[in-house]
């Protein structure tokens, strides 16, 4: 098959820069040749548009070319071919192979044509027309089916009662596990990597870090010519796509998933009729279930998704309008989509990927904002389980087993007891199951364990907990297939909705779990009755849920209790799944604290390539792109090559910035205004003299720089110390006279308010001729402001970097990662661990620097406050578009003069952003 060549021009919404054209041509070639691409294009150079236009141009041409090739092969098979003197056996084999190839091509062509016909038929309709009669019939059928199911349950209960058998309430019947046969565990077909290619159109899976970045990408697609014809589907979690208030009002994603699954099953609930005197009368069954999860409505919404490119917010709005579920509609639309937009976690976590029905075979993956991809993969597959979570899961499962053990099959009992054994072994390791007798010999007293932290290989962890004889693969498979985690959640919801686990710290969870089942259920029943009486006694408007909840949590904290909500068994399942991986790829960090809430186990993934291998080996092509991808060797060696990619497939593209040199002023400041060396190492950065010097620098900067100044500090802890010192020393007052000062909040829900006030102040003070002008925003490297936030034009005329944000060298996770890299990855004579340590720092620096200079007409200054930035190694670690223009001054007056001159010239030029 002949290869396509990049076109001379791409359908760009405006005349592209030369670097954008070069980017698209290189991307076209990488996708066509099935290569692994590393693309670096500075923030503000139109990277997203280049990705869209380059990739979708190739996709369209490839689809046309592929269809033409199928037709050509079919026609060739029809023509009589000369055997060229071949013997009869070889000639017959050749004819059979030709017919088989023609049959395969005919099937694929027919499927493509059917898919195109379906999409064309949908596009001819101006809107998806609903038939209310059919819709009502479907709803009535669903209700009838659910009623029949409950009638069968009632009959079964009556028959059991006649036979003298103990009968469970109908509400508890759904909590029982179905019979489980492990002999069928092999029969689910091939793993994802062994599946044949999905016949139909080739897909591009585009992923980025946050939902806001994905929505921004979709909006960019809408601006291009592809917005009218491309079939783009946006995937997201229930937290972002669910429109059912009964689900999206819940506090965390785990509870939302559980509640959604319950509603999908169409469970019936009971309502209590209240008489005039306030007493309850007969209970009446009422149908429940999700009103948005109707098959016909979901399919109609899925069709609508394919007709028009929509971001997540637009999809949610359409779902509400059509009274359909956007979450399942988007999943249904994947089969006919050309571009699937999804977050990192969905693509990089194989169980999640498989649950969405995503098949990577021979498709294309594009990972945008990939500068922290290795760390992201490690974080996704690292698992943290606290002692409290283990105790909560153990308490729930113990009570479940005690109540229903006589109704479960032997196979279910076997696996449940193995799960309990696994959890008990870890609880015991963490000191949560031991006890000793007090001096009086009366009551047991929990000993205070000596705080410790150990890093163990996986095999040592399994051997020490005596769980190395368990079949972890079958345990995980059982948990997933039996849905025990969801059953357990429903069980706890049925009996109060939470399990208090204070007694687990005093008694062995095997010999004395928490209490007897009858005691447990009686306690919960009494609690529910008391709650109901309290609700009847007081008018509803007088209850304050927020205050009540807070008081209860504080009381439980004082008593050493913890309420475990949702299903903590899910975290245990993730740990079991992680332990299945190759022992060399991960470690177990065991932390025993002086208090139970400080004890935990954590699985650390040291080799992220092991979870990227499926993507590299199955996909036709993989592209990772970002504003700063340095060092390229890290992506090449630790990602692509370690994941099984061939070195000949790895391609690299990097370009400079579109901003002219005269619009950028990067300066290193080794000294402050008084001549004090700016040393923001961990040992010196809290020195009052250093903090005073930092204050003087910022006051000078705020005096000269118009508009917004964004200052990045190494950590939230340091931000707190800087704020306290500036307040007490009067620096904050001096800064406030120049610009309004804002601080990055720790809570994400406060971020938008701070950014809005920051921008509003800059706009309101833009015309001031004296006094306060603009804003100063003190942020944190690696925080909420350092990625995904654009400080373009007046919002970011100057970015100030305070110190080098090196991670904590005493972190056991970092130490183990560096040891692993030193042992397994070469770095041209350098220790891979130390190179990794340096890279972590400068990745964060480069990402923060990229918040300014967002387009060709923009201009800004970048100030690097620390004498270590003047080192040659530090300069080399900066992006090329900055390092080649970097000014390293020895005295502050010289640097301040450059800064003043730069902005005076910009005012004189009348540069308009």
């Amino acid at each position: 098959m002949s290869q396509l060549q990049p076109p001379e021009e791409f359908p760009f919404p405006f005349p592209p820069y030369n670097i954008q054209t070069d980017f698209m041509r290189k991307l076209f070639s990488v996708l066509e040749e099935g290569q692994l691409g590393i693309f670096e294009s500075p923030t503000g150079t139109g990277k997203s548009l280049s990705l869209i236009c380059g990739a979708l141009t190739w996709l369209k041409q490839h689809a046309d070319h592929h269809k033409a090739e199928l037709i050509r092969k079919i026609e060739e098979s029809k023509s009589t071919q000369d055997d060229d003197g071949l013997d009869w056996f070889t000639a017959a084999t050749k004819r059979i192979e030709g017919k088989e190839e023609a049959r395969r091509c005919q099937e694929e062509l027919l499927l493509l044509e059917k898919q195109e016909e379906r999409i064309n038929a949908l596009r001819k309709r101006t809107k998806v027309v609903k038939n209310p009669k059919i819709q009502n019939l479907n709803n009535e059928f669903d209700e009838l089916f659910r009623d029949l199911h409950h009638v069968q349950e009632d009959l079964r209960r009556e028959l059991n009662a006649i036979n003298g058998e103990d009968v469970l309430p109908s509400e508890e019947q759904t909590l029982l596990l179905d019979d489980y046969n492990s002999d069928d565990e092999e029969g689910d077909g091939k793993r994802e990597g062994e599946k044949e290619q999905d016949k139909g159109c080739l897909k591009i899976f585009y992923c980025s870090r946050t939902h806001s970045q994905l929505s921004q990408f979709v909006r960019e697609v809408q601006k291009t010519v592809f917005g009218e014809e491309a079939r783009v589907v946006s995937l997201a979690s229930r937290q972002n796509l669910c429109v059912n208030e009964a689900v999206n009002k819940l506090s965390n994603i785990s509870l939302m998933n559980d509640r959604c699954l319950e509603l999908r099953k169409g469970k019936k609930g009971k309502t209590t009729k209240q008489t005039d005197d306030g007493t309850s009368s007969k209970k009446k069954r009422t149908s429940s279930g999700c009103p948005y999860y109707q098959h016909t409505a979901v399919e109609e919404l899925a069709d609508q998704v394919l007709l028009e490119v929509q971001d997540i917010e637009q999809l949610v709005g359409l779902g509400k309008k059509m009274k359909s579920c956007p979450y399942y509609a988007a999943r249904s639309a994947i089969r006919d989509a050309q571009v699937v937009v999804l977050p990192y976690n969905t693509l990089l976590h194989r169980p999640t990927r498989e649950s969405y029905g995503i098949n990577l075979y021979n498709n294309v993956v594009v990972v945008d904002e990939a500068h922290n991809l290795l760390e992201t993969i490690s974080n996704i597959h690292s698992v943290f389980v606290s002692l409290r979570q283990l105790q909560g899961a153990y308490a729930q499962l113990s009570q479940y087993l005690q109540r229903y053990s006589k109704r479960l099959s032997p196979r279910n009992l076997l696996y449940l007891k193995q799960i309990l054994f696994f959890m008990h072994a870890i609880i015991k390791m963490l000191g949560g199951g031991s006890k000793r007798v007090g001096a009086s010999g009366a009551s047991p007293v929990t000993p205070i364990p000596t705080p410790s932290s150990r890093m163990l290989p996986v095999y040592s962890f399994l051997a020490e907990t005596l769980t190395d004889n368990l079949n972890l693969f079958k345990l995980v498979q059982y948990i997933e297939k039996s849905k025990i985690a969801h059953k357990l959640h429903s069980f706890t919801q049925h009996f109060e909705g939470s399990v208090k686990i204070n007694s687990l710290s005093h008694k062995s969870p095997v010999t004395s779990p928490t209490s007897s089942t009858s005691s447990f259920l009686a306690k919960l029943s009494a609690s529910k009755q008391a709650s109901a009486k309290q609700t009847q006694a007081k008018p509803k408007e007088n209850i304050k849920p927020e205050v009540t909840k807070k008081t209860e949590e504080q009381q439980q904290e004082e008593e050493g209790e913890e309420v475990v909500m949702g299903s903590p068994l899910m975290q245990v399942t993730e740990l079991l799944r992680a332990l299945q991986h190759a022992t060399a790829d991960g470690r177990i960090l065991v932390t025993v604290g002086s208090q139970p809430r400080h004890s935990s186990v954590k699985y650390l993934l040291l080799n992220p390539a092991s979870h990227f291998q499926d993507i590299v080996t199955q996909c036709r092509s993989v592209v990772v792109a970002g504003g700063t991808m340095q060092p390229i060797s890290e992506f090449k060696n630790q990602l692509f090559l370690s994941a099984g990619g061939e070195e000949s497939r790895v391609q690299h593209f990097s370009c400079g910035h579109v901003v002219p040199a005269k619009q950028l002023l990067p300066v290193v400041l080794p000294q402050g205004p008084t001549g004090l060396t700016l040393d923001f190492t961990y040992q010196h950065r809290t020195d009052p003299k250093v903090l005073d010097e930092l204050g003087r620098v910022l006051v000078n900067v705020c005096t000269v720089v118009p508009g917004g100044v964004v200052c990045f500090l190494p950590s939230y802890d340091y931000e707190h110390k800087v704020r306290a010192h500036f307040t007490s020393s009067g620096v904050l007052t001096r800064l406030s006279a120049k610009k309004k000062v804002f601080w990055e909040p720790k809570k994400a829900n406060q971020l938008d308010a701070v950014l809005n006030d920051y921008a509003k102040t800059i706009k309101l003070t833009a015309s001031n001729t004296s006094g306060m002008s603009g804003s100063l925003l003190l942020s944190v490297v690696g925080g909420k402001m350092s990625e995904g936030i654009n400080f373009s034009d007046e919002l970011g005329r100057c970015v100030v970097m305070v110190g080098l944000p090196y991670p904590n060298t005493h972190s056991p996770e970092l130490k183990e990662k560096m040891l692993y890299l030193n042992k397994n990855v070469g770095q041209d004579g350098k220790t891979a661990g130390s190179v990794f340590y340096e890279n972590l720092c400068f990745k964060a620096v480069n990402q923060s620097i990229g918040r300014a200079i967002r387009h060709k007409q923009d201009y800004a200054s970048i100030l690097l406050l620390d004498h270590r930035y003047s080192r040659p190694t530090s300069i080399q670690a900066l992006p090329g578009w900055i390092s080649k223009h970097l000014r390293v001054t020895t005295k502050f007056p010289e640097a301040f003069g450059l800064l003043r001159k730069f902005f005076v010239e910009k005012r004189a030029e009348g540069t308009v952003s």
Side-chain angles (χ1 to χ4, degrees):
M1 184 184 293
S2 60
Q3 287 192 341
L4 296 170
Q5 298 299 317
E8 289 297 322
E9 293 184 359
F10 288 83
F12 219 64
F14 50 80
Y17 307 131
N18 291 335
I19 61 173
Q20 290 174 326
T21 301
D22 294 341
F23 185 107
M24 290 184 286
R25 285 177 179 166
K26 183 65 175 179
L27 178 62
F28 190 102
S29 299
V30 166
L31 298 181
E32 176 62 19
E33 296 171 18
Q35 295 175 331
L36 309 172
I38 304 170
F39 283 73
E40 182 180 43
S41 181
T43 304
T45 55
K47 170 171 57 66
S48 295
L49 268 178
S50 300
L51 281 171
I52 292 166
C53 296
L56 292 183
T57 298
W58 170 82
L59 184 65
K60 185 177 186 304
Q61 292 192 15
H62 172 81
D64 295 341
H65 181 69
H66 180 62
K67 188 174 178 180
E69 283 292 310
L70 290 175
I71 295 173
R72 181 184 64 79
K73 288 180 180 180
I74 294 170
E75 293 299 324
E76 284 182 356
S77 67
K78 294 179 181 178
S79 61
T80 304
Q81 295 184 359
D82 190 3
D83 293 340
D84 296 328
L86 299 174
D87 61 88
W88 69 270
F89 182 80
T90 305
T93 302
K94 186 177 180 181
R95 284 194 296 273
I96 292 172
E97 290 176 348
K99 289 180 180 179
E100 179 61 26
E101 175 70 10
R103 184 193 63 79
R104 184 191 64 79
C105 292
Q106 186 70 48
E107 286 182 356
E108 188 174 350
L109 180 63
L110 183 62
L111 191 61
L112 286 171
E113 288 176 344
K114 283 184 177 180
Q115 191 177 49
E116 290 175 0
E117 288 172 4
R118 177 175 177 274
I119 299 300
N120 290 334
L122 287 175
R123 285 198 171 125
K124 288 179 182 179
R125 293 149 60 177
T126 56
K127 62 180 180 178
V128 178
V129 180
K130 293 184 178 181
N131 189 327
K133 292 183 178 179
I134 295 177
Q135 185 69 40
N136 290 336
L137 284 174
N138 286 334
N139 294 341
E140 289 175 9
F141 176 79
D142 290 339
E143 288 294 325
L144 185 61
F145 180 81
R146 288 197 285 267
D147 288 340
L148 178 61
H149 173 72
H150 284 283
V151 168
Q152 289 175 335
E153 281 187 356
D154 291 341
L155 287 174
R156 190 181 299 112
R157 289 181 61 210
E158 290 177 10
L159 287 174
N160 289 337
I162 292 172
N163 295 329
E165 297 179 11
D166 183 24
V167 181
L168 282 177
S170 59
E171 296 84 1
E172 289 190 65
Q173 293 288 342
T174 58
L175 302 178
L176 293 178
L177 293 170
D178 297 328
D179 288 344
Y180 183 78
N181 185 2
S182 61
D183 294 335
D184 297 332
E185 289 167 354
E186 316 292 337
D188 272 358
K190 299 178 181 179
R191 287 174 51 186
E192 180 192 7
E194 299 170 341
K195 289 179 182 177
E196 295 182 358
Q197 178 184 5
D198 286 339
K199 303 301 181 182
C201 66
L202 185 147
K203 294 176 174 56
I204 295 177
F205 293 97
Y206 171 91
C207 68
S208 192
R209 192 177 66 89
T210 65
H211 289 296
S212 61
Q213 290 168 342
L214 295 175
S215 293
Q216 184 179 349
F217 175 83
V218 173
R219 287 192 290 271
E220 293 288 340
V221 174
Q222 293 170 340
K223 297 176 184 177
T224 67
V225 296
F226 303 103
E228 297 294 328
E229 57 187 42
R231 303 192 295 276
V232 181
V233 174
S234 297
L235 298 183
S237 64
R238 288 182 175 90
Q239 203 165 13
N240 295 89
L241 285 181
C242 182
V243 293
N244 190 330
E245 291 185 3
V247 176
N248 58 34
K249 71 180 181 180
L250 298 175
S251 57
N252 62 61
I253 188 65
S254 177
L255 292 176
M256 293 177 71
N257 291 337
D258 289 338
R259 183 60 178 149
C260 177
L261 292 174
E262 289 174 3
L263 291 175
R264 277 182 58 202
K265 293 175 183 176
K267 288 186 179 180
K268 289 217 171 188
K270 287 186 179 181
T271 57
T272 304
K273 283 188 176 181
Q274 299 293 331
T275 59
D276 295 335
D277 59 357
T279 59
S280 59
S281 64
K282 293 181 181 180
K283 293 183 177 179
K284 175 185 176 183
R285 274 207 182 96
T286 58
S287 297
S288 63
C290 182
Y292 299 94
Y293 186 73
Q294 304 292 338
H295 178 75
T296 305
V298 168
E299 288 302 313
E300 287 176 348
L301 180 56
D303 291 342
Q304 195 71 13
V305 168
L306 295 170
L307 293 178
E308 186 179 356
V309 178
Q310 299 178 53
D311 62 23
I312 294 170
E313 290 75 16
Q314 292 169 328
L315 180 56
V316 169
L318 186 61
K320 292 178 179 178
K321 182 179 179 181
M322 296 180 63
K323 297 188 183 307
S324 180
C325 178
Y327 177 75
Y328 285 102
R331 292 176 61 157
S332 177
I334 293 175
R335 62 178 179 266
D336 293 321
Q338 294 173 308
V339 180
V340 180
V341 181
L342 67 168
Y344 276 171
N345 294 23
T346 304
L347 179 81
L348 300 176
H349 190 248
R350 195 179 77 185
T352 305
R353 187 169 70 232
E354 291 175 344
S355 73
Y356 275 82
I358 293 173
N359 186 8
L360 299 176
Y361 187 81
N362 207 29
N363 287 317
V364 172
V365 164
V366 176
V367 183
D368 200 2
E369 301 298 333
H371 50 279
N372 286 329
L373 181 59
L374 288 163
E375 291 79 9
T376 300
I377 297 173
S378 295
N379 292 336
I380 289 173
H381 295 92
S382 294
V383 182
F384 176 87
V385 185
S386 69
L387 175 58
R388 284 304 197 186
Q389 287 174 319
L390 285 163
Q391 290 174 325
Y394 191 95
Q396 291 180 358
L397 189 54
S398 295
Q399 299 296 344
Y400 181 89
L401 192 58
Q402 288 186 28
R403 180 159 180 81
Y404 303 122
S405 59
K406 293 181 180 179
R407 304 174 183 277
L408 300 176
S409 68
R411 185 71 65 176
N412 276 320
L413 290 173
L414 173 65
Y415 281 115
L416 292 180
K417 288 180 179 180
Q418 286 184 4
I419 296 169
L420 284 171
F421 177 80
F422 175 78
M423 291 191 290
H424 168 242
I426 304 177
I427 291 171
K428 187 176 179 181
M429 171 185 269
L430 298 176
S434 59
K435 63 180 181 179
R436 65 179 174 86
V437 178
S440 62
S443 59
V445 179
T446 303
I448 299 176
T450 304
S452 63
S453 181
R454 293 185 296 153
M455 189 72 69
L456 300 175
V458 172
Y459 61 83
S460 297
F461 173 77
L462 294 174
E464 190 170 327
T465 55
L466 302 178
T467 57
D468 49 350
N469 61 337
L470 295 178
N471 189 327
L472 302 182
F473 175 78
K474 284 196 171 186
L475 273 184
V476 172
Q477 200 169 42
Y478 170 78
I479 294 172
E480 291 175 345
K481 289 187 175 182
S482 67
K483 307 294 184 184
I484 178 59
H486 298 297
K487 298 278 187 181
L488 209 55
H489 171 65
S490 299
F491 171 72
T492 55
Q493 288 292 311
H494 184 73
F495 297 108
E496 180 71 4
S498 62
V499 179
K500 294 185 178 180
I501 58 176
N502 56 328
S503 56
L504 267 177
S505 59
H506 301 291
K507 298 182 180 181
S508 170
V510 170
T511 58
S512 179
T514 49
S515 62
S516 67
T517 307
S518 57
S519 171
F520 170 72
L521 297 177
K523 241 169 139 184
L524 293 176
S525 178
S527 176
K528 290 177 76 174
Q529 290 174 6
S531 177
K533 287 180 180 178
Q534 185 179 6
T535 304
Q536 292 176 6
K538 295 182 180 181
K540 188 174 182 180
E541 56 270 21
N542 292 338
I543 297 176
K544 298 180 180 179
E546 294 82 1
V547 177
T548 305
K549 183 178 179 182
K550 184 177 180 181
T551 305
E552 288 176 353
E553 290 177 352
Q554 288 175 343
Q555 184 177 353
Q556 289 158 5
E557 185 69 23
E558 291 171 2
E559 296 174 356
E561 295 182 358
E562 180 177 333
V563 174
V564 181
M565 300 302 296
S567 181
L569 188 61
M570 293 298 293
Q571 280 298 99
V572 178
T573 307
E574 288 299 315
L575 179 61
L576 282 166
R577 185 180 286 115
L579 294 175
Q580 297 179 65
H581 303 141
T583 56
D585 291 340
R587 299 288 185 273
I588 300 291
L589 176 63
V590 180
T591 304
V592 178
S594 57
Q595 298 180 6
R597 64 175 177 270
H598 298 149
S599 299
S600 63
V601 292
K602 183 177 183 180
Y603 174 85
L604 305 173
L605 178 66
L606 302 179
N607 179 23
S610 63
H611 290 275
F612 205 68
Q613 187 172 3
D614 288 346
I615 297 173
V616 169
T617 55
Q618 294 173 27
C619 290
R620 171 194 178 97
S621 182
V622 181
V623 172
V624 294
T628 305
M629 299 295 287
Q630 298 295 336
I632 299 300
S633 60
E634 186 175 272
F635 289 91
K636 180 180 178 181
N637 296 328
Q638 295 182 38
L639 190 67
F640 286 142
L641 299 185
S642 296
E646 300 175 3
E647 189 165 3
S648 58
R649 289 184 67 196
V650 181
Q651 299 293 317
H652 169 229
F653 173 86
S654 183
C655 63
H657 211 295
V658 294
V659 174
K662 67 176 183 177
Q663 292 174 211
L664 173 68
L665 178 64
V667 179
V668 173
L669 292 176
Q671 295 182 356
T674 66
L676 182 71
T677 299
L678 295 176
D679 184 358
F680 291 98
T681 56
Y682 187 79
Q683 296 83 357
H684 298 100
R685 65 188 186 191
T686 55
D687 186 333
K689 293 181 180 179
V690 174
L691 291 172
D692 286 339
E693 199 75 348
L694 172 61
R696 296 185 188 101
V697 172
L698 291 179
V699 169
N700 279 278
V701 169
C702 290
T703 302
V704 174
V705 178
V709 175
V710 184
C711 176
F712 286 101
L713 303 169
S715 67
Y716 282 106
D717 179 61
Y718 192 60
E719 179 193 38
H720 177 73
K721 291 177 180 177
V722 168
R723 186 171 188 171
H725 183 83
F726 281 8
T727 303
S728 61
S729 64
V731 172
L732 190 58
T733 303
R734 294 171 60 196
L735 288 171
S736 299
K738 305 294 182 183
K739 295 182 182 296
K740 188 171 181 179
V741 181
F742 296 88
W743 303 83
E744 178 174 329
K746 272 193 174 183
K747 294 182 179 179
N749 58 4
Q750 300 174 354
L751 183 65
D752 288 342
V754 171
L755 287 174
N756 289 335
D757 288 345
Y758 171 81
K760 188 185 297 183
T761 303
I762 291 172
K763 184 177 181 180
L764 292 175
T765 59
S767 59
N768 284 4
T769 56
S770 62
M772 186 173 67
S773 174
S775 303
L776 168 64
L777 176 60
L778 290 107
S779 308
V780 176
V781 175
K784 305 169 188 67
M785 309 282 193
S786 62
E787 185 176 351
I789 305 294
N790 296 337
F791 294 102
S792 60
D793 302 322
E794 293 299 321
L795 297 181
R797 286 302 181 209
C798 182
V799 171
V800 181
M801 293 297 306
V802 178
L804 288 162
Y806 282 108
N808 182 10
T809 54
H810 299 293
S811 164
E813 292 107 337
L814 181 58
K815 285 182 178 179
E816 196 65 28
K817 177 70 174 181
M818 292 172 67
L819 286 172
Y820 175 84
L821 291 174
N822 288 338
K823 183 179 180 181
N824 295 281
V825 181
Q827 286 285 347
D828 302 326
K830 298 179 182 179
T831 57
S834 60
V835 172
F836 171 77
Y837 182 71
E838 288 284 331
N839 291 342
L840 280 179
C841 171
F842 277 95
K843 277 184 181 180
V845 169
N846 295 339
Q847 190 63 24
S848 299
I849 287 173
R851 296 311 89 213
I853 308 289
R854 309 301 298 182
H855 54 84
K856 190 173 183 179
Q857 287 74 39
D858 206 354
Y859 66 93
S861 174
I862 296 169
L863 303 182
L864 306 176
L865 308 187
D866 199 301
H867 67 96
R868 292 171 292 172
Y869 278 113
S870 60
R871 298 172 182 171
T873 53
S874 297
I875 296 174
Q876 292 172 5
L878 295 170
W881 61 277
I882 289 178
S883 59
K884 66 181 180 181
H885 302 300
L886 191 66
R887 309 282 190 92
V888 180
T889 62
T890 56
K891 303 293 183 183
F892 179 82
E894 181 182 350
F896 188 70
L898 290 171
L899 192 67
R900 183 188 295 274
K901 181 181 178 184
F902 177 77
F903 285 104
V904 167
E905 289 177 351
K906 294 304 156 195
R907 287 195 189 95
E909 293 171 4
T911 305
V912 179
S913 54

